[in-house]
Amino acid sequence: MKFYSFFIFICSIFAVSTSNALMPQDYAHYFEINLDEKLPSLSELSKKYAQEEIYDYKYDYSWNIEDVFDSQFRQRILDNGKREKRLVFPEEKVFVQMIESVPKELYPYIGPYMHTVPGIPEKVLNIPEIKATKNKFPEKIAPQLQNIPDIEFVSPSLYFILMPEAWPDNQRYMEMPNFYASYPKVEYKHDFYNKIKKLVPVSQFAPDAKKEKKVSRSDFRTVQPTQTSLLTAADVAAFADTLDGVLKFSKENTNFSDLHRAGMLLDMYEVDEKKGIPNNNQIKDMVNPCQRLVQKLQILGPKKEVEFLKIVAPKGFDLKTWAYTCDKTIKAYRLAQINRKTLFELKAYSKGLYLPAIRQYNLDAQMFQMSTMQAILEMYKAPMSDVIEVKKNRKILKDKFKKMDFMLVTNPIAMHY
């Protein structure tokens, strides 16, 4: 259990995956979703990916334990105790790659602890920089902790707190210049504006003047939305009206946990079918959260599909058209809300400015970073027409998303603005 805890701790510091590295553009097809695809049922996927029980405990609760020691369990622990070969941790390969990808400046803060954890692979402990940290106290300590008496006796499991970079006060951020709006100086031309007043009477600009209502494309719904059709403001408003029902659906019965389970099984299924990114397939939920939600409903079966259809049908949607409208709205909303920092990062991704740094990692870490960068680019991919239509309903969308904590049941909608 101690080794598992350490493994999770390292995962929180640096995440990698287990596949070959590709360039960012090679991942675009992974984010394509076909809602007409026939997916296995929940029972079929559960059976296929059911975890094999290592040992039958023969009781359900601790107070039902019998008073006779189980001979089968006794024989198993005797056999394991006589083995000279170490039992391999299932994700050991990932763990070793993870440690190798961690910046070496971090080793003095995690290396001493690794030497105290049973089950750490020898390949990791024999890394020269890790081996040199055994029973060694870190030399660099955060200024906030330097005056604490006997701090060298702190447990190695807490060494990571001693790292100066772990304290926000010690981190240096790039200073951004202040930007001021500048407006051109336009000379007032009396002759020009006198001509304008003759063409357009001043009475039309009076406060009580009646504004002429012009019907435009924005006022009409799209007859049959597709993945590539353009949005209208009426489409966005109709979608926004379904969000209260979606939020209520996520809190009813076991819908949230059922959809979460269906999502995990769907990720494993797509990786096996070569349609997903190994150990990083969850990012598909970020790119197209609505289409992924409909796929999970399809896995759960017709009953859940009908329940969800009752929410969106009153606004003229079926599951597919709702998913298409929803994903296009969310992508356009993200782009409408984008800030200068995010825009700079997207530009850097698309131009490959991060590639030299990423190539310093091992191939598996490169794959994880590349696919994540591609996902972020796909999250903000929307035509300008959709952005303009979404801006007309931006406030109501923001209020609805905030009420949902920017989550579409189990799928993230957007960053918090």
Side-chain angles (χ1 to χ4, degrees), residues 3 7 16-20 88-100 121 123-124 279 362 364:
F3 178 54
F7 179 69
V16 298
S17 68
T18 54
S19 184
N20 294 327
V88 178
F89 177 52
E91 286 81 22
E92 183 172 299
K93 179 183 177 183
V94 179
F95 178 77
V96 173
Q97 294 172 344
M98 189 183 306
I99 296 298
E100 291 175 343
K123 187 174 181 180
V124 171
N279 289 346
N362 59 45
D364 298 331

PDB file of all heavy atoms in Angstrom, residues 3 7 16-20 88-100 121 123-124 279 362 364:
ATOM      1  N   PHE A   3       3.757   1.628  -1.429  1.00  0.00           N
ATOM      2  CA  PHE A   3       4.265   1.846  -2.779  1.00  0.00           C
ATOM      3  C   PHE A   3       3.183   2.443  -3.668  1.00  0.00           C
ATOM      4  O   PHE A   3       3.428   3.347  -4.457  1.00  0.00           O
ATOM      5  CB  PHE A   3       4.776   0.524  -3.352  1.00  0.00           C
ATOM      6  CG  PHE A   3       5.266   0.655  -4.772  1.00  0.00           C
ATOM      7  CD1 PHE A   3       6.215   1.595  -5.109  1.00  0.00           C
ATOM      8  CD2 PHE A   3       4.767  -0.165  -5.770  1.00  0.00           C
ATOM      9  CE1 PHE A   3       6.677   1.719  -6.409  1.00  0.00           C
ATOM     10  CE2 PHE A   3       5.211  -0.054  -7.063  1.00  0.00           C
ATOM     11  CZ  PHE A   3       6.163   0.897  -7.387  1.00  0.00           C
ATOM     12  N   PHE A   7       3.263   5.906  -5.707  1.00  0.00           N
ATOM     13  CA  PHE A   7       2.999   5.930  -7.154  1.00  0.00           C
ATOM     14  C   PHE A   7       1.987   7.026  -7.490  1.00  0.00           C
ATOM     15  O   PHE A   7       2.155   7.786  -8.447  1.00  0.00           O
ATOM     16  CB  PHE A   7       2.481   4.566  -7.595  1.00  0.00           C
ATOM     17  CG  PHE A   7       2.149   4.485  -9.064  1.00  0.00           C
ATOM     18  CD1 PHE A   7       3.143   4.530 -10.020  1.00  0.00           C
ATOM     19  CD2 PHE A   7       0.831   4.374  -9.480  1.00  0.00           C
ATOM     20  CE1 PHE A   7       2.843   4.458 -11.364  1.00  0.00           C
ATOM     21  CE2 PHE A   7       0.524   4.305 -10.808  1.00  0.00           C
ATOM     22  CZ  PHE A   7       1.527   4.340 -11.760  1.00  0.00           C
ATOM     23  N   VAL A  16       2.601  10.662 -17.475  1.00  0.00           N
ATOM     24  CA  VAL A  16       3.073  10.150 -18.747  1.00  0.00           C
ATOM     25  C   VAL A  16       2.102   9.101 -19.233  1.00  0.00           C
ATOM     26  O   VAL A  16       1.140   8.768 -18.584  1.00  0.00           O
ATOM     27  CB  VAL A  16       4.485   9.533 -18.629  1.00  0.00           C
ATOM     28  CG1 VAL A  16       5.488  10.560 -18.202  1.00  0.00           C
ATOM     29  CG2 VAL A  16       4.467   8.373 -17.667  1.00  0.00           C
ATOM     30  N   SER A  17       2.365   8.542 -20.416  1.00  0.00           N
ATOM     31  CA  SER A  17       1.513   7.489 -20.941  1.00  0.00           C
ATOM     32  C   SER A  17       2.367   6.402 -21.552  1.00  0.00           C
ATOM     33  O   SER A  17       3.584   6.440 -21.467  1.00  0.00           O
ATOM     34  CB  SER A  17       0.568   8.063 -21.988  1.00  0.00           C
ATOM     35  OG  SER A  17       1.306   8.459 -23.102  1.00  0.00           O
ATOM     36  N   THR A  18       1.721   5.410 -22.195  1.00  0.00           N
ATOM     37  CA  THR A  18       2.452   4.236 -22.668  1.00  0.00           C
ATOM     38  C   THR A  18       2.168   3.965 -24.130  1.00  0.00           C
ATOM     39  O   THR A  18       1.459   3.045 -24.483  1.00  0.00           O
ATOM     40  CB  THR A  18       2.037   3.004 -21.852  1.00  0.00           C
ATOM     41  OG1 THR A  18       0.614   2.886 -21.917  1.00  0.00           O
ATOM     42  CG2 THR A  18       2.461   3.133 -20.416  1.00  0.00           C
ATOM     43  N   SER A  19       2.718   4.783 -24.999  1.00  0.00           N
ATOM     44  CA  SER A  19       2.577   4.538 -26.425  1.00  0.00           C
ATOM     45  C   SER A  19       3.687   5.281 -27.146  1.00  0.00           C
ATOM     46  O   SER A  19       4.520   5.940 -26.531  1.00  0.00           O
ATOM     47  CB  SER A  19       1.206   4.999 -26.923  1.00  0.00           C
ATOM     48  OG  SER A  19       1.053   4.665 -28.279  1.00  0.00           O
ATOM     49  N   ASN A  20       3.710   5.178 -28.476  1.00  0.00           N
ATOM     50  CA  ASN A  20       4.745   5.839 -29.249  1.00  0.00           C
ATOM     51  C   ASN A  20       4.419   7.303 -29.425  1.00  0.00           C
ATOM     52  O   ASN A  20       3.266   7.706 -29.485  1.00  0.00           O
ATOM     53  CB  ASN A  20       4.863   5.173 -30.635  1.00  0.00           C
ATOM     54  CG  ASN A  20       5.371   3.757 -30.509  1.00  0.00           C
ATOM     55  OD1 ASN A  20       6.153   3.444 -29.631  1.00  0.00           O
ATOM     56  ND2 ASN A  20       4.907   2.880 -31.387  1.00  0.00           N
ATOM     57  N   VAL A  88       5.909  -8.281  -9.686  1.00  0.00           N
ATOM     58  CA  VAL A  88       5.991  -7.068 -10.501  1.00  0.00           C
ATOM     59  C   VAL A  88       4.719  -6.255 -10.315  1.00  0.00           C
ATOM     60  O   VAL A  88       3.605  -6.775 -10.414  1.00  0.00           O
ATOM     61  CB  VAL A  88       6.190  -7.412 -11.987  1.00  0.00           C
ATOM     62  CG1 VAL A  88       6.230  -6.140 -12.828  1.00  0.00           C
ATOM     63  CG2 VAL A  88       7.487  -8.200 -12.164  1.00  0.00           C
ATOM     64  N   PHE A  89       4.903  -4.987 -10.042  1.00  0.00           N
ATOM     65  CA  PHE A  89       3.792  -4.044  -9.966  1.00  0.00           C
ATOM     66  C   PHE A  89       3.194  -3.879 -11.361  1.00  0.00           C
ATOM     67  O   PHE A  89       3.935  -3.660 -12.327  1.00  0.00           O
ATOM     68  CB  PHE A  89       4.333  -2.713  -9.425  1.00  0.00           C
ATOM     69  CG  PHE A  89       3.327  -1.615  -9.355  1.00  0.00           C
ATOM     70  CD1 PHE A  89       2.103  -1.804  -8.726  1.00  0.00           C
ATOM     71  CD2 PHE A  89       3.611  -0.371  -9.892  1.00  0.00           C
ATOM     72  CE1 PHE A  89       1.187  -0.779  -8.649  1.00  0.00           C
ATOM     73  CE2 PHE A  89       2.703   0.657  -9.818  1.00  0.00           C
ATOM     74  CZ  PHE A  89       1.479   0.443  -9.193  1.00  0.00           C
ATOM     75  N   PRO A  90       1.860  -3.983 -11.538  1.00  0.00           N
ATOM     76  CA  PRO A  90       1.260  -3.962 -12.889  1.00  0.00           C
ATOM     77  C   PRO A  90       1.662  -2.749 -13.725  1.00  0.00           C
ATOM     78  O   PRO A  90       1.892  -2.873 -14.920  1.00  0.00           O
ATOM     79  CB  PRO A  90      -0.253  -3.960 -12.592  1.00  0.00           C
ATOM     80  CG  PRO A  90      -0.376  -4.576 -11.242  1.00  0.00           C
ATOM     81  CD  PRO A  90       0.850  -4.184 -10.492  1.00  0.00           C
ATOM     82  N   GLU A  91       1.754  -1.562 -13.106  1.00  0.00           N
ATOM     83  CA  GLU A  91       2.111  -0.355 -13.853  1.00  0.00           C
ATOM     84  C   GLU A  91       3.589   0.005 -13.666  1.00  0.00           C
ATOM     85  O   GLU A  91       3.957   1.180 -13.707  1.00  0.00           O
ATOM     86  CB  GLU A  91       1.228   0.815 -13.405  1.00  0.00           C
ATOM     87  CG  GLU A  91      -0.202   0.743 -13.921  1.00  0.00           C
ATOM     88  CD  GLU A  91      -1.056  -0.191 -13.085  1.00  0.00           C
ATOM     89  OE1 GLU A  91      -0.688  -0.434 -11.920  1.00  0.00           O
ATOM     90  OE2 GLU A  91      -2.079  -0.672 -13.595  1.00  0.00           O
ATOM     91  N   GLU A  92       4.430  -1.003 -13.446  1.00  0.00           N
ATOM     92  CA  GLU A  92       5.832  -0.719 -13.136  1.00  0.00           C
ATOM     93  C   GLU A  92       6.530  -0.009 -14.294  1.00  0.00           C
ATOM     94  O   GLU A  92       7.318   0.910 -14.084  1.00  0.00           O
ATOM     95  CB  GLU A  92       6.574  -2.016 -12.796  1.00  0.00           C
ATOM     96  CG  GLU A  92       8.019  -1.799 -12.389  1.00  0.00           C
ATOM     97  CD  GLU A  92       8.679  -3.065 -11.876  1.00  0.00           C
ATOM     98  OE1 GLU A  92       8.200  -3.618 -10.870  1.00  0.00           O
ATOM     99  OE2 GLU A  92       9.648  -3.503 -12.501  1.00  0.00           O
ATOM    100  N   LYS A  93       6.243  -0.433 -15.515  1.00  0.00           N
ATOM    101  CA  LYS A  93       6.878   0.190 -16.673  1.00  0.00           C
ATOM    102  C   LYS A  93       6.537   1.678 -16.733  1.00  0.00           C
ATOM    103  O   LYS A  93       7.412   2.525 -16.975  1.00  0.00           O
ATOM    104  CB  LYS A  93       6.428  -0.505 -17.962  1.00  0.00           C
ATOM    105  CG  LYS A  93       7.034   0.094 -19.218  1.00  0.00           C
ATOM    106  CD  LYS A  93       6.501  -0.594 -20.465  1.00  0.00           C
ATOM    107  CE  LYS A  93       7.053   0.071 -21.731  1.00  0.00           C
ATOM    108  NZ  LYS A  93       6.496  -0.542 -22.957  1.00  0.00           N
ATOM    109  N   VAL A  94       5.277   2.006 -16.484  1.00  0.00           N
ATOM    110  CA  VAL A  94       4.858   3.407 -16.501  1.00  0.00           C
ATOM    111  C   VAL A  94       5.560   4.175 -15.390  1.00  0.00           C
ATOM    112  O   VAL A  94       6.001   5.317 -15.578  1.00  0.00           O
ATOM    113  CB  VAL A  94       3.319   3.504 -16.338  1.00  0.00           C
ATOM    114  CG1 VAL A  94       2.874   4.956 -16.336  1.00  0.00           C
ATOM    115  CG2 VAL A  94       2.624   2.730 -17.444  1.00  0.00           C
ATOM    116  N   PHE A  95       5.673   3.543 -14.229  1.00  0.00           N
ATOM    117  CA  PHE A  95       6.311   4.210 -13.089  1.00  0.00           C
ATOM    118  C   PHE A  95       7.777   4.521 -13.390  1.00  0.00           C
ATOM    119  O   PHE A  95       8.264   5.620 -13.106  1.00  0.00           O
ATOM    120  CB  PHE A  95       6.192   3.320 -11.855  1.00  0.00           C
ATOM    121  CG  PHE A  95       6.848   3.882 -10.632  1.00  0.00           C
ATOM    122  CD1 PHE A  95       6.254   4.888  -9.911  1.00  0.00           C
ATOM    123  CD2 PHE A  95       8.084   3.401 -10.214  1.00  0.00           C
ATOM    124  CE1 PHE A  95       6.864   5.421  -8.787  1.00  0.00           C
ATOM    125  CE2 PHE A  95       8.703   3.912  -9.089  1.00  0.00           C
ATOM    126  CZ  PHE A  95       8.088   4.931  -8.369  1.00  0.00           C
ATOM    127  N   VAL A  96       8.506   3.559 -13.960  1.00  0.00           N
ATOM    128  CA  VAL A  96       9.914   3.775 -14.286  1.00  0.00           C
ATOM    129  C   VAL A  96      10.061   4.905 -15.297  1.00  0.00           C
ATOM    130  O   VAL A  96      10.920   5.791 -15.159  1.00  0.00           O
ATOM    131  CB  VAL A  96      10.547   2.474 -14.828  1.00  0.00           C
ATOM    132  CG1 VAL A  96      11.958   2.739 -15.338  1.00  0.00           C
ATOM    133  CG2 VAL A  96      10.562   1.401 -13.749  1.00  0.00           C
ATOM    134  N   GLN A  97       9.214   4.911 -16.337  1.00  0.00           N
ATOM    135  CA  GLN A  97       9.268   5.981 -17.335  1.00  0.00           C
ATOM    136  C   GLN A  97       8.946   7.326 -16.713  1.00  0.00           C
ATOM    137  O   GLN A  97       9.523   8.356 -17.080  1.00  0.00           O
ATOM    138  CB  GLN A  97       8.291   5.675 -18.470  1.00  0.00           C
ATOM    139  CG  GLN A  97       8.671   4.453 -19.284  1.00  0.00           C
ATOM    140  CD  GLN A  97       7.585   4.057 -20.263  1.00  0.00           C
ATOM    141  OE1 GLN A  97       6.436   4.496 -20.156  1.00  0.00           O
ATOM    142  NE2 GLN A  97       7.932   3.226 -21.220  1.00  0.00           N
ATOM    143  N   MET A  98       8.034   7.307 -15.761  1.00  0.00           N
ATOM    144  CA  MET A  98       7.650   8.537 -15.091  1.00  0.00           C
ATOM    145  C   MET A  98       8.822   9.130 -14.315  1.00  0.00           C
ATOM    146  O   MET A  98       9.117  10.331 -14.419  1.00  0.00           O
ATOM    147  CB  MET A  98       6.483   8.226 -14.137  1.00  0.00           C
ATOM    148  CG  MET A  98       5.817   9.423 -13.530  1.00  0.00           C
ATOM    149  SD  MET A  98       4.545   8.913 -12.373  1.00  0.00           S
ATOM    150  CE  MET A  98       3.571   7.829 -13.384  1.00  0.00           C
ATOM    151  N   ILE A  99       9.515   8.287 -13.545  1.00  0.00           N
ATOM    152  CA  ILE A  99      10.653   8.768 -12.759  1.00  0.00           C
ATOM    153  C   ILE A  99      11.758   9.274 -13.672  1.00  0.00           C
ATOM    154  O   ILE A  99      12.404  10.292 -13.392  1.00  0.00           O
ATOM    155  CB  ILE A  99      11.177   7.648 -11.844  1.00  0.00           C
ATOM    156  CG1 ILE A  99      10.115   7.252 -10.813  1.00  0.00           C
ATOM    157  CG2 ILE A  99      12.452   8.076 -11.133  1.00  0.00           C
ATOM    158  CD1 ILE A  99       9.723   8.365  -9.877  1.00  0.00           C
ATOM    159  N   GLU A 100      11.979   8.589 -14.792  1.00  0.00           N
ATOM    160  CA  GLU A 100      13.029   9.007 -15.727  1.00  0.00           C
ATOM    161  C   GLU A 100      12.694  10.350 -16.377  1.00  0.00           C
ATOM    162  O   GLU A 100      13.588  11.080 -16.808  1.00  0.00           O
ATOM    163  CB  GLU A 100      13.234   7.945 -16.793  1.00  0.00           C
ATOM    164  CG  GLU A 100      13.859   6.652 -16.268  1.00  0.00           C
ATOM    165  CD  GLU A 100      13.955   5.572 -17.318  1.00  0.00           C
ATOM    166  OE1 GLU A 100      13.255   5.694 -18.354  1.00  0.00           O
ATOM    167  OE2 GLU A 100      14.705   4.604 -17.118  1.00  0.00           O
ATOM    168  N   PRO A 121      11.043  -0.429  -7.815  1.00  0.00           N
ATOM    169  CA  PRO A 121      11.886  -1.190  -8.752  1.00  0.00           C
ATOM    170  C   PRO A 121      13.367  -0.843  -8.616  1.00  0.00           C
ATOM    171  O   PRO A 121      13.735   0.323  -8.429  1.00  0.00           O
ATOM    172  CB  PRO A 121      11.348  -0.779 -10.129  1.00  0.00           C
ATOM    173  CG  PRO A 121       9.950  -0.310  -9.870  1.00  0.00           C
ATOM    174  CD  PRO A 121       9.965   0.297  -8.504  1.00  0.00           C
ATOM    175  N   LYS A 123      15.497  -0.806 -10.884  1.00  0.00           N
ATOM    176  CA  LYS A 123      15.917   0.031 -12.002  1.00  0.00           C
ATOM    177  C   LYS A 123      15.814   1.503 -11.636  1.00  0.00           C
ATOM    178  O   LYS A 123      16.617   2.326 -12.103  1.00  0.00           O
ATOM    179  CB  LYS A 123      15.054  -0.268 -13.234  1.00  0.00           C
ATOM    180  CG  LYS A 123      15.522   0.432 -14.497  1.00  0.00           C
ATOM    181  CD  LYS A 123      14.716  -0.007 -15.699  1.00  0.00           C
ATOM    182  CE  LYS A 123      15.214   0.681 -16.969  1.00  0.00           C
ATOM    183  NZ  LYS A 123      14.443   0.275 -18.157  1.00  0.00           N
ATOM    184  N   VAL A 124      14.841   1.838 -10.804  1.00  0.00           N
ATOM    185  CA  VAL A 124      14.683   3.228 -10.364  1.00  0.00           C
ATOM    186  C   VAL A 124      15.717   3.566  -9.302  1.00  0.00           C
ATOM    187  O   VAL A 124      16.386   4.604  -9.358  1.00  0.00           O
ATOM    188  CB  VAL A 124      13.258   3.460  -9.825  1.00  0.00           C
ATOM    189  CG1 VAL A 124      13.149   4.825  -9.160  1.00  0.00           C
ATOM    190  CG2 VAL A 124      12.237   3.345 -10.944  1.00  0.00           C
ATOM    191  N   ASN A 279      -3.933   5.665 -22.119  1.00  0.00           N
ATOM    192  CA  ASN A 279      -3.676   6.384 -20.863  1.00  0.00           C
ATOM    193  C   ASN A 279      -3.910   7.883 -20.949  1.00  0.00           C
ATOM    194  O   ASN A 279      -3.536   8.627 -20.051  1.00  0.00           O
ATOM    195  CB  ASN A 279      -2.242   6.136 -20.374  1.00  0.00           C
ATOM    196  CG  ASN A 279      -2.060   4.727 -19.860  1.00  0.00           C
ATOM    197  OD1 ASN A 279      -3.029   4.005 -19.628  1.00  0.00           O
ATOM    198  ND2 ASN A 279      -0.828   4.324 -19.693  1.00  0.00           N
ATOM    199  N   ASN A 362      11.143  11.168 -22.636  1.00  0.00           N
ATOM    200  CA  ASN A 362      11.135   9.893 -23.339  1.00  0.00           C
ATOM    201  C   ASN A 362       9.933   9.841 -24.273  1.00  0.00           C
ATOM    202  O   ASN A 362       9.046  10.708 -24.241  1.00  0.00           O
ATOM    203  CB  ASN A 362      11.113   8.723 -22.344  1.00  0.00           C
ATOM    204  CG  ASN A 362       9.905   8.767 -21.433  1.00  0.00           C
ATOM    205  OD1 ASN A 362       8.788   9.003 -21.869  1.00  0.00           O
ATOM    206  ND2 ASN A 362      10.119   8.542 -20.146  1.00  0.00           N
ATOM    207  N   ASP A 364       7.245   8.036 -24.460  1.00  0.00           N
ATOM    208  CA  ASP A 364       5.919   7.940 -23.884  1.00  0.00           C
ATOM    209  C   ASP A 364       5.449   9.281 -23.329  1.00  0.00           C
ATOM    210  O   ASP A 364       4.287   9.654 -23.469  1.00  0.00           O
ATOM    211  CB  ASP A 364       5.903   6.880 -22.777  1.00  0.00           C
ATOM    212  CG  ASP A 364       6.239   5.504 -23.319  1.00  0.00           C
ATOM    213  OD1 ASP A 364       5.954   5.263 -24.501  1.00  0.00           O
ATOM    214  OD2 ASP A 364       6.793   4.672 -22.570  1.00  0.00           O
TER     215      ASP A 364
END
